[in-house]
Amino acid sequence: MKEILKLTLSLTLICAIAGAALAFVSYKTAEPVRKAQEAQRAEKMLMLLPEGTMTVDPAIDHEFNDDDRLMSVTFYVAKNAAGEMIAYCAEAVDHSGFGGDVKVLVGLNPDGTVRGVLVSEHSETPGIGSKVCERSVAKSFWSLFKKSQEAALMPSQALLPNDYLDAFTGKPLPEDGFNLTKTPASHSLRDIKPVSGATVTSTAVINAVNRVCSAWHHFTLEFEKK
Amino acid sequence: MKLFKTLVNGLWKENPVLILMLGMCPTLATSSSAKNAIFMGLATTCVLAGSNFVVSCFKSIIPDKVRIPCFIVIIATFVTIVQFLMDAYVPAALVKALGIYLPLITVNCIVLGRAEAFASKNGPILSLMDGIGMGMGFTLILTILGAVREFIASGTLFEMTVVPHWQGFALLRFAPGAFIVLGIFLAIRNAMKIRDAKLHGTHFDPPSELNCTTCHICTLGK
């Protein structure tokens, strides 16, 4: 009995010291970690924005709150060297992903057409939901022996392909949002085909994009009034 | 003198990768480029030095029966600290490239092996030196391995082009290439040992530390 007590106490002591040390380091690195994440987000945004973008600032006046869930969409304004507004970027979150939150970045032209969609944060199942979220180059066995095209080693600024996310590119943001359907009408600008087997993740991404849609129309209305 | 000897011990004589054959999993997985390899090696060195030092300091209060959980808690703490620091100060692409192998340093055989075989029997300063030496030995071999693989796979070193218009041999960037290059390294090491032994007129035997009858880590040889 005495021995068990001794073993438990020494283990508890070591765990307590370890916990205290971790809490201290976590507290000390919280600020740099936040900065690093912000820089990472800015880098991702630049992929969606046109060349010549000099500054990306949050459009503070236009934070939009979704009525039913109070989820905000944040707009960022991209300006070129001359200070002219050349594009927008919007960030939205949806909580209904298979692994929790799915955070989406949408690059927008000033007229409201989509420049590109990027999932910036997700924890979907690797190999299933991640097919919806991650842009990557398909690798085949033979690519091992060929001169590889992939830029696995170098961080590239170019957007890698993803069939689902690329379906949004070039389409105007519809007022009622995009429509997820297995049988898209051939010329429809609203219909998006989900990735089979990953319907939940596809829905989460489209929900987030649709939040941007409704926010955008709200936003432009306000903009016209001014 | 003994401190220095312990320090350089890990670099060659008891190199964790080439001689002790520990930590093969991260060696094979993260040596795809010289930059990945050097950061993985440095992260492991930090954990190894820290955990060796702390284990050695606490060795008198850690009861023998729960020593493995205690070692793991200490090692895991250092790994988490290194992870916090890397998240904060190292480019995200690099952290992503190291991926799961960074948290897995916790169960890296080198770290636990040194805590068990060295730090729990020696003083703090000596253990710190052993940790740094072993870590540097690991980093050294990992970086050379990464440099060779990166060079042959894409003609670059530390992401700088060395040979322009290199045709590239992507096989070496993936796991099979890691096995091939590591195998060649081990062959070179054995050849050097055999040549050394011949010059001294003796016969080459594996170091006695690895011999089951003299090692005290497990009880297999008894």
Side-chain angles (χ1 to χ4, degrees):
Chain A
M1 193 61 212
K2 213 175 167 189
E3 199 192 358
I4 287 183
L5 208 65
K6 198 186 152 209
L7 297 184
T8 319
L9 274 179
S10 53
L11 203 50
T12 314
L13 179 69
I14 285 179
C15 287
I17 297 172
L22 282 182
F24 177 73
V25 177
S26 169
Y27 172 73
K28 282 283 170 197
T29 53
E31 184 61 21
V33 166
R34 202 183 55 77
K35 269 189 193 148
Q37 278 171 348
E38 223 152 69
Q40 215 181 320
R41 189 174 58 186
E43 201 174 283
K44 278 183 179 153
M45 273 187 199
L46 280 182
M47 288 203 266
L48 297 172
L49 295 171
E51 272 179 52
T53 302
M54 288 301 287
T55 58
V56 183
D57 295 315
I60 307 156
D61 306 341
H62 302 292
E63 189 142 317
F64 172 85
N65 288 316
D66 198 321
D67 290 337
D68 48 357
R69 286 202 185 183
L70 283 175
M71 234 169 304
S72 58
V73 175
T74 319
F75 279 94
Y76 296 83
V77 181
K79 289 180 177 160
N80 64 9
E84 291 159 340
M85 189 272 296
I86 45 173
Y88 294 99
C89 193
E91 188 180 47
V93 193
D94 191 79
H95 296 321
S96 60
F98 205 75
D101 285 3
V102 175
K103 214 177 225 183
V104 169
L105 282 175
V106 184
L108 295 165
N109 286 322
D111 63 351
T113 51
V114 177
R115 292 189 56 89
V117 177
L118 197 71
V119 178
S120 56
E121 268 178 56
H122 74 93
S123 38
E124 302 301 293
T125 321
I128 304 173
S130 69
K131 270 196 277 185
V132 177
C133 300
E134 273 162 24
R135 292 174 170 273
S136 63
V137 176
K139 270 185 250 170
S140 77
F141 179 72
W142 297 112
S143 68
L144 291 183
F145 299 98
K146 275 189 279 177
K147 187 181 181 180
S148 68
Q149 302 291 317
E150 47 148 348
L153 283 174
M154 16 200 143
S156 91
Q157 287 297 311
L159 274 185
L160 297 169
N162 176 314
D163 285 344
Y164 178 77
L165 296 179
D166 286 342
F168 293 99
T169 308
K171 291 180 180 168
L173 285 177
E175 205 149 337
D176 329 321
F178 287 102
N179 182 24
L180 199 66
T181 169
K182 286 204 170 132
T183 50
S186 54
H187 295 296
S188 167
L189 286 174
R190 283 191 58 209
D191 291 355
I192 303 284
K193 199 175 177 224
V195 176
S196 64
T199 316
V200 175
T201 311
S202 304
T203 313
V205 171
I206 212 165
N207 281 348
V209 175
N210 283 344
R211 278 213 175 83
V212 176
C213 285
S214 44
W216 170 261
H217 288 286
H218 184 87
F219 174 43
T220 41
L221 281 180
E222 257 185 21
F223 198 70
E224 275 160 15
K225 265 189 251 161
K226 277 188 185 173
Chain B
M1 194 58 218
K2 203 183 170 200
L3 285 181
F4 183 72
K5 222 176 163 184
T6 316
L7 186 70
V8 292
N9 199 17
L11 283 181
W12 179 252
K13 200 172 145 245
E14 273 185 45
N15 188 288
V17 179
L18 293 183
I19 314 282
L20 302 180
M21 300 292 283
L22 291 173
M24 285 295 112
C25 173
T27 306
L28 294 170
T30 59
S31 61
S32 57
S33 77
K35 196 170 143 198
N36 287 356
I38 204 164
F39 271 92
M40 184 67 192
L42 290 178
T44 312
T45 307
C46 291
V47 174
L48 199 50
S51 72
N52 257 12
F53 182 74
V54 173
V55 164
S56 181
C57 288
F58 281 90
K59 66 176 184 287
S60 52
I61 70 154
I62 294 174
D64 214 33
K65 279 185 182 163
V66 288
R67 65 184 195 286
I68 302 288
C70 291
F71 294 166
I72 293 287
V73 168
I74 292 169
I75 295 165
T77 309
F78 277 100
V79 172
T80 317
I81 289 174
V82 167
Q83 259 186 301
F84 279 142
L85 293 177
M86 284 190 105
D87 277 344
Y89 302 110
V90 168
L94 191 67
V95 177
K96 211 181 162 199
L98 296 180
I100 187 71
Y101 296 99
L102 200 56
L104 279 185
I105 296 175
T106 312
V107 286
N108 191 325
C109 325
I110 304 173
V111 187
L112 187 61
R114 290 328 280 182
E116 172 82 27
F118 196 94
S120 60
K121 295 181 186 116
N122 292 284
I125 303 297
L126 210 58
S127 299
L128 183 70
M129 284 297 157
D130 179 72
I132 295 173
M134 283 287 158
M136 293 321 279
F138 182 67
T139 312
L140 180 76
I141 299 301
L142 211 60
T143 310
I144 298 174
L145 199 63
V148 169
R149 284 178 66 190
E150 188 185 339
F151 179 74
I152 298 177
S154 45
T156 59
L157 274 182
F158 292 100
E159 290 170 14
M160 288 173 292
T161 311
V162 178
V163 183
H165 310 300
W166 183 264
Q167 270 303 303
F169 185 52
L171 176 68
L172 283 201
R173 191 175 298 151
F174 299 94
F179 278 104
I180 293 168
V181 178
L182 184 67
I184 293 170
F185 274 33
L186 293 177
I188 293 172
R189 193 264 303 180
N190 278 350
M192 286 169 83
K193 286 260 175 189
I194 290 169
R195 204 185 69 118
D196 255 21
K198 267 193 186 151
L199 282 180
H200 292 96
T202 51
H203 183 69
F204 170 63
D205 277 321
S208 61
E209 288 86 354
L210 290 185
N211 194 330
C212 265
T213 50
T214 55
C215 162
H216 303 289
I217 293 182
C218 71
T219 50
L220 273 181
K222 277 137 212 160

